[in-house]
Amino acid sequence: MLQKVEICGVNTEGLPKLTQSESRALMLQLKAGDEEARKKFIVSNMRLVLSLVKRFWAKNANADDLFQAGCIGLLKAIDNFNVDLDVRFSTYAVPMILGEIKRYLRDGNSLRVSRSIRDTAFKVLKAREGLEKQDKEGTIEEIAKVLEVKEQEVVYALDAISDTISLFEPVYNKSGDSLMLMEQIADNKNNDEVWTEKVALKEAMRRLGERERKILFLRYFEGKTQTEISSEVGISQAQVSRLEKNAIQSIRGEIALEV
């Protein structure tokens, strides 16, 4: 895919480029109803679509399908662009193109999001946008009030449409030094208190009898039932249950003393 030159029948090497002034002039013409200007503008901006599609090569999706989805975003951007705003078309178009590509990937994912949830998510995004235009903070609570729904519904809808991200995704890059997402995530489980408890647990396990240690190992490390353990150890299920409870109580007592 990285070497792909022709995509959807379009020779990407031959795509024209526009200067900012040319782009502005064509946009004014197409908004006035000039179909030829519209066609030329679309073709000239296919390079923008292609540059964004390249970000998703690693998704193992069909390049032609991604490009088509991106072009849909491009057409939507053209139709909705306001020429009166002091904004470059590319600045406006990029989020819409990316949105269509991500929507295609999301809809084609094995984990499908129901239509009703997607509709709720769309309403949530519109409500947040409306609040922000009023210089209000688009919090979950405020959005829920606007839509007259529970806060949990807002959270669920946003989670359902959010894209997963790799822990190895660079979140900062300067002078060739990348900072990955995983390097910004704290592990609150590995503090001094937890390590002390682990040492105490290991010591408490060591003081158990061999049979009790085996029962706990089979029960909690191999996930076997008490009936399965009774057959393997050669005692009744009731004895296994009693030994397991006694061993756990003994461990708790040892840990309480150690910690």
Side-chain angles (χ1 to χ4, degrees), residues 93-149:
V94 166
M96 299 196 74
I97 296 170
L98 287 175
E100 287 300 320
I101 295 174
K102 290 179 179 180
R103 185 175 293 110
Y104 164 77
L105 290 171
R106 184 168 60 246
D107 290 346
N109 195 291
S110 57
L111 182 63
R112 300 300 296 271
V113 178
S114 70
R115 179 71 187 211
S116 62
I117 295 175
R118 289 204 302 270
D119 288 344
T120 300
F122 176 75
K123 293 176 182 177
V124 167
L125 295 176
K126 292 292 289 183
R128 183 169 66 186
E129 182 181 352
L131 287 168
E132 290 173 349
K133 284 182 178 179
Q134 299 173 35
D135 292 329
K136 296 181 180 179
E137 189 176 356
T139 62
I140 299 297
E141 182 180 1
E142 288 297 326
I143 293 171
K145 285 181 181 179
V146 171
L147 298 179
E148 298 182 346
V149 298

Side-chain angles (χ1 to χ4, degrees), residues 203-214 216 243 246-248 250-251 254:
E203 183 62 23
M205 286 284 290
R206 187 182 66 80
R207 292 174 183 172
L208 291 176
E210 183 178 348
R211 186 165 60 175
E212 286 82 357
R213 285 201 303 271
K214 184 172 183 179
L216 291 183
L243 289 169
N246 290 340
I248 291 175
S250 176
I251 288 174
E254 293 283 351

Side-chain angles (χ1 to χ4, degrees), residues 156-245:
Y156 184 75
L158 290 174
D159 285 345
I161 64 169
S162 63
D163 294 315
T164 56
I165 183 171
S166 169
L167 288 174
F168 296 94
E169 182 81 11
V171 294
Y172 177 77
N173 194 313
K174 185 175 182 180
S175 302
D177 295 326
S178 295
L179 185 65
M180 293 182 290
L181 177 61
M182 67 178 299
E183 295 170 331
Q184 294 295 291
I185 300 176
D187 185 0
N188 297 323
K189 294 181 179 180
N190 286 323
N191 52 39
D192 292 340
E193 183 179 347
V194 172
W195 278 107
T196 302
E197 289 180 356
K198 287 181 178 179
V199 172
L201 174 60
K202 185 176 180 181
E203 183 62 23
M205 286 284 290
R206 187 182 66 80
R207 292 174 183 172
L208 291 176
E210 183 178 348
R211 186 165 60 175
E212 286 82 357
R213 285 201 303 271
K214 184 172 183 179
I215 288 173
L216 291 183
F217 177 81
L218 294 173
R219 188 86 169 95
Y220 295 100
F221 289 89
E222 294 193 359
K224 292 188 176 182
T225 65
Q226 290 182 347
T227 303
E228 291 172 329
I229 295 171
S230 67
S231 299
E232 186 167 337
V233 179
I235 57 177
S236 68
Q237 185 268 330
Q239 287 177 297
V240 170
S241 178
R242 186 173 63 254
L243 289 169
E244 179 186 334
K245 289 178 181 178

Side-chain angles (χ1 to χ4, degrees), residues 52-91:
L52 297 174
V53 165
K54 287 179 179 179
R55 299 184 187 183
F56 300 89
W57 287 147
K59 296 289 185 180
N60 295 321
N62 183 278
D64 289 351
D65 291 340
L66 291 178
F67 187 74
Q68 288 180 39
C71 286
I72 291 174
L74 172 63
L75 294 175
K76 288 183 177 180
I78 291 172
D79 292 338
N80 291 284
F81 184 68
N82 187 345
V83 294
D84 295 327
L85 297 177
D86 186 22
V87 177
R88 279 192 175 191
F89 173 75
S90 58
T91 303

